[in-house]
């Protein structure tokens, strides 16, 4: 689905007050926010060097970005879409931290886009320093103040993806490693233990760009009640512009990957991007937004809440390998109608 917008970087997305919002850097570097449900587009005076990260907190949109100048300072602003913009032709943010500071008063600089996540009470921001080390800060008052920065014991080649799971009350991170192959890494974050259960997934899951990340309840596709988290990632490969999607959980794992069980990995060459894609869920729909290779914003949605249908829904009869339990792949589906009607799901 075309989002009728243009961007030179990837988008980010969130659900808020019943609508899906996509934030992106316009071709003039200004921050844009689009309400996908009603088509409203808000253009901001602020400019950004890369993808702005968007978050819904207390029914207000929060955005974090790096300045478009050579300093690349991190800024965070609030935008309440219930009120009209008071500047023409641009909207303005209410700054919560301008800029976000270290304890010693120096503003934070980052070569890659920062990212936000929330559990409804706390807000986390994650970023990568110029030396590639990853950092996290936490706010407990809606961004009015921030705790100490926490250095993580790993490094990223292009920023960090964040998502909070209310299923197991964990903050999950994903990032491209600094190894030569650029393997994607995934971990849980616990401040006392730093990064817990880090794994680089499998040898073919590689990207030089920050992935998109979303959390769903494992078993959602089977209409079952789940007590553990399924982490879904979408990414652009290192050897082509194909967008891939995969999902992992930590339940009943026996593959030795530090407790992670691969559920599936799928790729299709009809979805292409040269920048980081976004992934978001409202608990029922799973959607990824991306900038195609012609700088047009696009979206692809699943109506079942399962990542596999992002690739097979709506394309007629195709050959698709469907995953069984334990990450093993089953028979080839030649008749997609059976898949969509739930006979396999």
């Amino acid at each position: 689905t075309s989002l009728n917008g243009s961007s030179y970087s990837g988008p980010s997305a969130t659900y808020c007050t019943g609508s899906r919002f996509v934030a992106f850097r316009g071709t003039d570097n200004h921050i844009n926010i689009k309400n996908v449900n009603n088509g409203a587009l808000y253009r901001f005076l602020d400019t950004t060097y890369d993808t702005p990260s968007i978050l819904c907190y207390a029914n207000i949109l929060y955005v974090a970005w790096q300045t478009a100048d050579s300093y690349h300072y991190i800024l965070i602003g609030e935008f309440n879409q219930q009120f009209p913009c008071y500047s023409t032709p641009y909207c303005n943010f209410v700054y919560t931290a301008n800029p976000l500071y270290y304890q010693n008063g120096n503003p934070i600089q980052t070569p890659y886009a920062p990212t936000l996540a929330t559990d409804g009470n706390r807000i986390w921001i994650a970023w990568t320093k110029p030396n590639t080390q990853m950092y996290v800060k936490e706010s407990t008052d809606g961004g009015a103040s921030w705790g100490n920065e926490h250095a993580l014991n790993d490094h990223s080649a292009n920023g960090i993806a964040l998502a909070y799971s209310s299923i197991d009350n964990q903050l999950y991170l994903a990032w491209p490693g600094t190894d030569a192959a650029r393997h994607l890494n995934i971990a849980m974050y616990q401040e006392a233990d730093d990064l817990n259960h880090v794994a680089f997934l499998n040898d073919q899951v590689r990207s030089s760009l920050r992935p998109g990340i979303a959390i769903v309840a494992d078993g959602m596709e089977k209409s079952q009640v789940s007590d553990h988290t399924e982490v879904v990632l979408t990414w652009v490969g290192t050897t082509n512009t194909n967008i891939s999607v995969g999902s992992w959980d930590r339940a009943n794992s026996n593959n030795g990957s530090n407790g992670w069980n691969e559920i599936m990995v799928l790729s299709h060459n009809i979805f292409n991007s040269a920048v980081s894609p976004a992934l978001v869920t409202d608990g029922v729909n799973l959607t990824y937004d991306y900038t195609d290779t012609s700088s047009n914003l696009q979206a692809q949605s699943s109506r079942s809440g399962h990542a596999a249908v992002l690739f097979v829904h709506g394309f007629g009869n195709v050959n698709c390998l469907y995953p069984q339990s334990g990450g093993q792949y089953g028979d080839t589906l030649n008749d997609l109608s059976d898949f969509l009607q739930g006979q396999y799901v």
Side-chain angles (χ1 to χ4, degrees):
T1 303
S2 173
L3 296 180
N4 296 318
S6 297
S7 177
Y8 287 156
S9 64
S12 65
T14 190
Y15 281 92
C16 198
T17 60
S19 297
R20 183 164 64 90
F21 291 87
V22 175
F24 59 96
R25 166 195 168 210
T27 54
D28 57 0
N29 295 333
H30 287 274
I31 297 172
N32 289 254
I33 297 177
K34 183 163 189 173
N35 183 325
V36 178
N37 291 58
N38 64 18
L41 178 65
Y42 306 97
R43 299 181 69 238
F44 289 83
L45 187 62
D46 296 273
T47 57
T48 182
Y49 181 73
D50 202 348
T51 302
S53 177
I54 192 168
L55 175 77
C56 184
Y57 177 84
N59 293 329
I60 295 176
L61 294 173
Y62 282 65
V63 177
W65 68 95
Q66 56 183 155
T67 57
D69 57 26
S70 60
Y71 297 105
H72 299 331
Y73 293 144
I74 294 179
L75 300 179
I76 302 176
E78 299 177 17
F79 175 63
N80 190 336
Q81 73 274 10
Q82 303 299 322
F83 300 102
C85 296
Y86 53 87
S87 176
T88 303
Y90 297 107
C91 302
N92 288 274
F93 289 108
V94 176
Y95 291 106
T96 61
N98 183 15
L100 191 64
Y101 286 96
Y102 293 123
Q103 292 92 270
N104 63 5
N106 294 322
I108 291 177
Q109 294 174 279
T110 179
Y112 308 111
T115 50
L116 297 169
T118 184
D119 64 356
N121 297 305
R122 296 168 290 178
I123 299 175
W124 291 277
I125 185 169
W127 72 96
T128 305
K129 286 190 178 179
N131 66 357
T132 72
Q133 187 164 9
M134 306 190 308
Y135 284 79
V136 172
K137 265 181 180 282
E138 177 183 318
S139 174
T140 58
D141 55 10
S145 63
W146 294 85
N148 294 336
E149 65 180 29
H150 186 61
L152 306 180
N153 59 358
D154 217 316
H155 293 255
S156 170
N158 194 301
I160 310 161
L162 285 182
Y164 180 80
S165 170
S166 59
I167 303 165
D168 55 9
N169 299 316
Q170 295 283 352
L171 182 66
Y172 287 85
L173 303 86
W175 67 95
T178 53
D179 59 301
R182 294 292 189 261
H183 289 110
L184 283 184
N185 296 267
I186 190 170
M188 297 186 302
Y189 168 72
Q190 296 172 318
E191 186 170 353
D193 301 323
D194 205 337
L195 290 177
N196 195 11
H197 300 289
V198 180
F200 73 83
L201 305 177
N202 76 45
D203 187 59
Q204 300 306 311
V205 180
R206 307 178 183 186
S207 181
S208 298
L209 303 170
R210 183 188 66 254
I213 187 171
I215 303 296
V216 299
D218 188 61
M220 180 191 296
E221 68 276 15
K222 310 183 197 75
S223 299
Q224 296 173 349
V225 176
S226 174
D227 61 356
H228 59 270
T229 292
E230 179 178 333
V231 180
V232 184
L233 301 180
T234 183
W235 65 93
V236 176
T238 55
T239 60
N240 52 53
T241 58
N242 297 351
I243 297 178
S244 299
V245 64
S247 59
W248 292 262
D249 69 19
R250 297 193 62 252
N252 303 316
S253 175
N254 57 8
N255 67 354
S257 296
N258 217 344
W260 290 95
N261 174 51
E262 181 179 298
I263 300 172
M264 63 153 202
V265 173
L266 295 172
S267 181
H268 207 300
N269 60 11
I270 66 171
F271 304 122
N272 293 272
S273 180
V275 290
S276 295
L279 192 62
V280 66
T281 181
D282 62 357
V284 176
N285 301 294
L286 188 62
T287 301
Y288 71 79
D289 301 278
Y290 66 99
T291 303
D292 66 21
T293 52
S294 298
S295 301
N296 298 311
L297 288 168
Q298 308 284 354
Q300 178 71 14
S301 297
S302 162
R303 297 177 182 175
S304 72
H306 190 257
V309 185
L310 285 172
F311 283 88
V312 301
H313 178 72
F315 294 105
N317 292 332
V318 298
N319 291 328
C320 174
L321 293 175
Y322 72 95
Q324 296 174 330
S325 60
Q328 301 301 312
Y329 291 90
D331 299 331
T332 299
L333 298 180
N334 293 311
D335 186 356
L336 186 60
S337 62
D338 288 343
F339 185 90
L340 296 179
Q341 291 169 9
Q343 296 182 28
Y344 290 90
V345 184

